[in-house]
Amino acid sequence: MAEYRIDELARLADSTVRNIRAYQDRGLLPPPRLEGRVGMYDDSHLARLRLIGQLLGRGYTFAIIKDLLSAWETGKDVGEVLGLEKVLTDPWSDEIPGTATYEELVEIFGSGLDEAEIARIQQRTVEIGLIEPEGEKFRVPSPRLLHVGAELVAAGIPLDSVLDIAAEIRDDCDVIAGRFVNLVQEHVFDRLEGAPVPEGDKVAEVAAVVRRMRPLVKMVVDPFIARAMETRVQEALGERLEMIRDALGEQPAR
Protein backbone atom coordinates (compact mmCIF):
# COMPACT_ATOMS: atom_id res chain seq x y z
CA MET A 1 0.00 0.00 0.00
CA ALA A 2 1.36 3.40 -0.99
CA GLU A 3 2.11 5.94 1.71
CA TYR A 4 2.00 9.72 1.54
CA ARG A 5 3.08 12.72 3.53
CA ILE A 6 0.28 15.10 4.44
CA ASP A 7 1.05 17.61 1.67
CA GLU A 8 1.10 14.86 -0.96
CA LEU A 9 -2.14 13.41 0.40
CA ALA A 10 -3.78 16.83 0.18
CA ARG A 11 -2.68 17.22 -3.44
CA LEU A 12 -3.93 13.78 -4.49
CA ALA A 13 -7.30 14.31 -2.78
CA ASP A 14 -7.68 17.85 -4.14
CA SER A 15 -7.83 19.13 -0.58
CA THR A 16 -5.59 21.14 1.74
CA VAL A 17 -3.33 20.32 4.67
CA ARG A 18 -5.51 22.53 6.84
CA ASN A 19 -8.64 20.59 5.88
CA ILE A 20 -6.98 17.24 6.58
CA ARG A 21 -6.03 18.35 10.07
CA ALA A 22 -9.53 19.72 10.66
CA TYR A 23 -11.08 16.38 9.59
CA GLN A 24 -8.78 14.56 12.01
CA ASP A 25 -9.82 16.89 14.83
CA ARG A 26 -13.49 16.13 14.05
CA GLY A 27 -12.87 12.38 14.05
CA LEU A 28 -13.59 12.01 10.34
CA LEU A 29 -10.08 10.91 9.38
CA PRO A 30 -7.97 8.48 11.43
CA PRO A 31 -4.50 9.60 12.51
CA PRO A 32 -1.49 8.72 10.36
CA ARG A 33 1.21 6.20 11.10
CA LEU A 34 4.17 7.99 12.65
CA GLU A 35 7.73 7.64 11.39
CA GLY A 36 9.57 9.60 14.01
CA ARG A 37 7.81 12.96 13.90
CA VAL A 38 6.46 12.55 10.34
CA GLY A 39 2.93 11.34 9.77
CA MET A 40 2.48 8.83 6.94
CA TYR A 41 -0.93 8.33 5.30
CA ASP A 42 -1.99 5.44 3.09
CA ASP A 43 -4.58 4.67 0.41
CA SER A 44 -7.33 4.18 2.99
CA HIS A 45 -6.83 7.77 4.12
CA LEU A 46 -6.90 8.91 0.49
CA ALA A 47 -10.16 7.04 -0.23
CA ARG A 48 -11.81 8.40 2.90
CA LEU A 49 -10.60 11.94 2.19
CA ARG A 50 -12.04 11.82 -1.32
CA LEU A 51 -15.35 10.54 0.04
CA ILE A 52 -15.46 13.36 2.59
CA GLY A 53 -14.89 15.86 -0.21
CA GLN A 54 -17.73 14.38 -2.27
CA LEU A 55 -20.12 14.43 0.67
CA LEU A 56 -19.27 18.02 1.55
CA GLY A 57 -19.75 18.97 -2.09
CA ARG A 58 -23.27 17.50 -1.95
CA GLY A 59 -24.17 19.58 1.09
CA TYR A 60 -23.88 16.98 3.86
CA THR A 61 -23.05 18.27 7.34
CA PHE A 62 -20.06 16.98 9.29
CA ALA A 63 -22.42 15.15 11.67
CA ILE A 64 -24.09 13.22 8.83
CA ILE A 65 -20.71 12.52 7.22
CA LYS A 66 -19.50 11.04 10.49
CA ASP A 67 -22.56 8.75 10.59
CA LEU A 68 -22.00 7.68 7.00
CA LEU A 69 -18.32 6.97 7.60
CA SER A 70 -19.20 4.91 10.69
CA ALA A 71 -21.65 2.95 8.57
CA TRP A 72 -18.97 2.49 5.91
CA GLU A 73 -16.59 1.09 8.55
CA THR A 74 -19.18 -1.46 9.68
CA GLY A 75 -19.77 -2.75 6.17
CA LYS A 76 -22.89 -0.84 5.19
CA ASP A 77 -23.13 0.39 1.62
CA VAL A 78 -22.71 4.17 1.62
CA GLY A 79 -23.23 4.02 -2.13
CA GLU A 80 -26.89 3.17 -1.49
CA VAL A 81 -27.32 6.38 0.49
CA LEU A 82 -25.51 8.42 -2.15
CA GLY A 83 -27.59 6.73 -4.83
CA LEU A 84 -30.78 7.88 -3.11
CA GLU A 85 -29.38 11.38 -2.79
CA LYS A 86 -28.62 11.44 -6.51
CA VAL A 87 -32.14 10.28 -7.35
CA LEU A 88 -33.62 12.99 -5.13
CA THR A 89 -31.48 15.81 -6.53
CA ASP A 90 -31.27 14.91 -10.22
CA PRO A 91 -33.42 17.14 -12.47
CA TRP A 92 -36.78 15.71 -13.48
CA SER A 93 -36.56 17.08 -16.99
CA ASP A 94 -34.15 16.38 -19.80
CA GLU A 95 -34.57 19.94 -21.04
CA ILE A 96 -31.33 21.90 -21.30
CA PRO A 97 -31.53 25.43 -19.83
CA GLY A 98 -30.71 28.28 -22.18
CA THR A 99 -29.69 31.93 -21.99
CA ALA A 100 -31.11 35.14 -23.41
CA THR A 101 -29.94 38.73 -23.52
CA TYR A 102 -32.03 41.67 -22.39
CA GLU A 103 -32.29 42.81 -26.00
CA GLU A 104 -33.55 39.40 -27.14
CA LEU A 105 -36.26 39.32 -24.47
CA VAL A 106 -37.36 42.86 -25.29
CA GLU A 107 -37.55 42.00 -28.98
CA ILE A 108 -39.80 39.00 -28.23
CA PHE A 109 -41.99 40.36 -25.45
CA GLY A 110 -41.40 44.10 -25.13
CA SER A 111 -42.63 45.44 -28.43
CA GLY A 112 -44.46 48.74 -27.90
CA LEU A 113 -43.68 48.92 -24.16
CA ASP A 114 -41.86 51.80 -22.48
CA GLU A 115 -38.90 51.26 -20.16
CA ALA A 116 -41.00 51.28 -17.00
CA GLU A 117 -43.35 48.63 -18.38
CA ILE A 118 -40.41 46.51 -19.55
CA ALA A 119 -38.85 46.70 -16.07
CA ARG A 120 -42.17 45.66 -14.48
CA ILE A 121 -42.65 42.75 -16.88
CA GLN A 122 -39.05 41.65 -16.37
CA GLN A 123 -39.53 41.59 -12.59
CA ARG A 124 -42.73 39.53 -12.91
CA THR A 125 -41.03 37.08 -15.25
CA VAL A 126 -38.19 36.62 -12.76
CA GLU A 127 -40.63 36.15 -9.87
CA ILE A 128 -42.52 33.44 -11.78
CA GLY A 129 -39.22 31.68 -12.51
CA LEU A 130 -39.25 31.90 -16.29
CA ILE A 131 -35.92 33.74 -16.33
CA GLU A 132 -33.10 34.20 -13.81
CA PRO A 133 -30.59 37.09 -13.82
CA GLU A 134 -27.11 35.81 -14.56
CA GLY A 135 -24.54 38.55 -15.05
CA GLU A 136 -25.25 40.53 -18.21
CA LYS A 137 -27.62 37.82 -19.50
CA PHE A 138 -30.58 35.85 -18.23
CA ARG A 139 -30.66 32.12 -17.58
CA VAL A 140 -33.75 30.47 -19.05
CA PRO A 141 -34.52 27.30 -17.00
CA SER A 142 -37.07 26.14 -19.58
CA PRO A 143 -36.69 27.43 -23.16
CA ARG A 144 -39.87 25.49 -24.00
CA LEU A 145 -41.93 27.60 -21.60
CA LEU A 146 -40.44 30.78 -23.01
CA HIS A 147 -41.30 29.59 -26.51
CA VAL A 148 -44.90 28.87 -25.47
CA GLY A 149 -45.17 32.37 -24.02
CA ALA A 150 -43.82 33.90 -27.21
CA GLU A 151 -46.34 31.92 -29.30
CA LEU A 152 -49.25 33.06 -27.12
CA VAL A 153 -48.17 36.69 -27.34
CA ALA A 154 -47.77 36.35 -31.10
CA ALA A 155 -51.34 35.00 -31.24
CA GLY A 156 -52.60 38.25 -29.75
CA ILE A 157 -52.87 37.40 -26.05
CA PRO A 158 -51.70 40.26 -23.80
CA LEU A 159 -48.38 39.60 -22.12
CA ASP A 160 -49.77 40.24 -18.63
CA SER A 161 -52.45 37.60 -19.26
CA VAL A 162 -49.79 35.13 -20.37
CA LEU A 163 -47.79 35.77 -17.19
CA ASP A 164 -50.94 35.45 -15.08
CA ILE A 165 -51.75 32.02 -16.51
CA ALA A 166 -48.11 30.95 -16.20
CA ALA A 167 -48.14 31.75 -12.48
CA GLU A 168 -51.46 29.95 -11.99
CA ILE A 169 -50.29 26.82 -13.84
CA ARG A 170 -47.05 26.85 -11.85
CA ASP A 171 -49.05 26.89 -8.62
CA ASP A 172 -51.38 24.16 -9.89
CA CYS A 173 -48.40 21.97 -10.77
CA ASP A 174 -46.95 22.56 -7.31
CA VAL A 175 -50.18 21.19 -5.82
CA ILE A 176 -50.02 18.10 -8.07
CA ALA A 177 -46.37 17.50 -7.18
CA GLY A 178 -47.20 17.87 -3.49
CA ARG A 179 -49.89 15.20 -3.75
CA PHE A 180 -47.50 12.72 -5.32
CA VAL A 181 -44.73 13.44 -2.83
CA ASN A 182 -47.12 13.20 0.13
CA LEU A 183 -48.32 9.83 -1.14
CA VAL A 184 -44.78 8.46 -1.34
CA GLN A 185 -43.78 10.21 1.90
CA GLU A 186 -46.58 8.48 3.79
CA HIS A 187 -46.09 5.00 2.38
CA VAL A 188 -42.37 4.83 1.56
CA PHE A 189 -40.17 7.59 3.01
CA ASP A 190 -41.52 7.18 6.54
CA ARG A 191 -39.93 3.73 6.66
CA LEU A 192 -36.57 5.48 7.07
CA GLU A 193 -37.70 7.66 9.96
CA GLY A 194 -35.48 7.50 13.01
CA ALA A 195 -32.52 5.85 11.29
CA PRO A 196 -29.49 8.19 10.78
CA VAL A 197 -28.01 5.71 8.31
CA PRO A 198 -30.78 3.33 7.15
CA GLU A 199 -30.13 -0.20 6.00
CA GLY A 200 -29.08 -0.47 2.36
CA ASP A 201 -32.10 -2.49 1.25
CA LYS A 202 -34.54 0.15 2.53
CA VAL A 203 -32.58 2.98 0.93
CA ALA A 204 -32.44 1.12 -2.37
CA GLU A 205 -36.20 0.51 -2.20
CA VAL A 206 -36.93 4.20 -1.71
CA ALA A 207 -34.56 5.17 -4.53
CA ALA A 208 -36.32 2.71 -6.84
CA VAL A 209 -39.73 4.19 -5.99
CA VAL A 210 -38.51 7.72 -6.72
CA ARG A 211 -37.08 6.56 -10.06
CA ARG A 212 -40.44 5.02 -10.97
CA MET A 213 -42.24 8.21 -10.03
CA ARG A 214 -40.60 10.16 -12.86
CA PRO A 215 -42.43 8.51 -15.78
CA LEU A 216 -45.51 7.77 -13.66
CA VAL A 217 -46.18 11.44 -12.94
CA LYS A 218 -46.18 12.30 -16.65
CA MET A 219 -48.25 9.21 -17.47
CA VAL A 220 -50.93 10.35 -15.01
CA VAL A 221 -50.91 14.07 -15.79
CA ASP A 222 -50.85 13.86 -19.61
CA PRO A 223 -54.12 11.87 -20.04
CA PHE A 224 -55.97 14.01 -17.49
CA ILE A 225 -54.89 17.30 -19.07
CA ALA A 226 -55.70 15.96 -22.55
CA ARG A 227 -59.21 14.92 -21.53
CA ALA A 228 -59.77 18.17 -19.66
CA MET A 229 -58.66 20.21 -22.68
CA GLU A 230 -61.01 18.28 -24.96
CA THR A 231 -63.96 18.99 -22.67
CA ARG A 232 -63.09 22.63 -22.11
CA VAL A 233 -62.47 23.40 -25.78
CA GLN A 234 -65.73 21.75 -26.82
CA GLU A 235 -67.64 23.68 -24.16
CA ALA A 236 -66.02 26.99 -25.03
CA LEU A 237 -66.08 26.74 -28.80
CA GLY A 238 -68.97 24.38 -29.44
CA GLU A 239 -71.62 27.11 -29.70
CA ARG A 240 -69.41 29.25 -31.94
CA LEU A 241 -68.74 26.29 -34.18
CA GLU A 242 -72.49 25.70 -34.55
CA MET A 243 -73.02 29.36 -35.39
CA ILE A 244 -70.33 29.18 -38.07
CA ARG A 245 -71.88 26.03 -39.52
CA ASP A 246 -75.33 27.65 -39.57
CA ALA A 247 -73.96 30.75 -41.23
CA LEU A 248 -72.19 28.69 -43.89
CA GLY A 249 -75.36 26.66 -44.44
CA GLU A 250 -77.37 29.82 -45.12
CA GLN A 251 -74.92 31.04 -47.78
CA PRO A 252 -75.95 30.28 -51.38
CA ALA A 253 -73.95 27.60 -53.09
CA ARG A 254 -71.33 28.81 -55.54
Side-chain angles (χ1 to χ4, degrees):
M1 183 177 291
E3 290 192 318
Y4 318 98
R5 293 173 179 265
I6 190 169
D7 54 345
E8 187 178 8
L9 179 70
R11 179 180 59 81
L12 291 172
D14 195 23
S15 185
T16 65
V17 170
R18 181 178 179 181
N19 283 344
I20 291 174
R21 288 178 175 150
Y23 300 156
Q24 289 177 188
D25 291 341
R26 291 176 178 270
L28 302 178
L29 196 68
R33 181 182 66 82
L34 292 178
E35 278 191 3
R37 299 179 61 182
V38 178
M40 300 300 296
Y41 298 83
D42 57 34
D43 287 334
S44 66
H45 291 93
L46 179 58
R48 179 179 286 236
L49 192 54
R50 286 173 172 165
L51 178 58
I52 292 172
Q54 292 173 8
L55 296 173
L56 288 173
R58 294 187 178 194
Y60 287 95
T61 65
F62 284 115
I64 294 177
I65 291 174
K66 192 167 185 178
D67 285 336
L68 289 171
L69 292 174
S70 297
W72 189 26
E73 289 175 344
T74 57
K76 293 182 180 179
D77 190 352
V78 176
E80 298 284 1
V81 178
L82 299 183
L84 173 60
E85 188 266 352
K86 186 176 187 301
V87 168
L88 295 176
T89 57
D90 274 354
W92 280 58
S93 172
D94 59 358
E95 187 174 12
I96 300 174
T99 59
T101 64
Y102 174 82
E103 292 75 18
E104 288 171 339
L105 293 174
V106 171
E107 182 179 356
I108 299 172
F109 299 105
S111 178
L113 301 178
D114 58 29
E115 291 187 4
E117 277 294 285
I118 291 175
R120 181 184 66 82
I121 291 295
Q122 176 185 313
Q123 181 61 32
R124 280 204 68 193
T125 309
V126 170
E127 290 172 355
I128 294 171
L130 298 177
I131 60 174
E132 300 171 355
E134 192 174 75
E136 297 182 355
K137 293 187 177 182
F138 291 90
R139 181 177 181 270
V140 181
S142 174
R144 295 171 188 166
L145 287 178
L146 206 65
H147 173 73
V148 171
E151 290 293 315
L152 293 175
V153 170
I157 301 176
L159 181 53
D160 272 319
S161 297
V162 171
L163 294 178
D164 287 342
I165 195 65
E168 291 172 5
I169 292 175
R170 177 202 60 187
D171 293 343
D172 292 340
C173 289
D174 184 64
V175 172
I176 293 172
R179 287 172 179 163
F180 272 96
V181 171
N182 289 340
L183 180 70
V184 178
Q185 176 78 39
E186 178 182 355
H187 297 285
V188 181
F189 288 175
D190 287 350
R191 299 176 193 175
L192 303 180
E193 189 175 353
V197 183
E199 296 295 334
D201 56 345
K202 289 186 178 180
V203 176
E205 181 182 353
V206 173
V209 170
V210 176
R211 287 192 192 96
R212 289 200 296 271
M213 281 179 64
R214 294 174 182 261
L216 291 178
V217 171
K218 292 183 179 180
M219 290 170 65
V220 168
V221 173
D222 285 352
F224 275 123
I225 192 64
R227 291 168 60 186
M229 284 298 296
E230 290 173 6
T231 302
R232 291 283 187 167
V233 168
Q234 290 172 8
E235 290 175 352
L237 302 181
E239 292 184 4
R240 293 191 180 186
L241 181 59
E242 289 299 323
M243 291 172 60
I244 293 172
R245 286 175 178 172
D246 291 344
L248 290 175
E250 293 173 0
Q251 293 180 1
R254 294 182 181 179

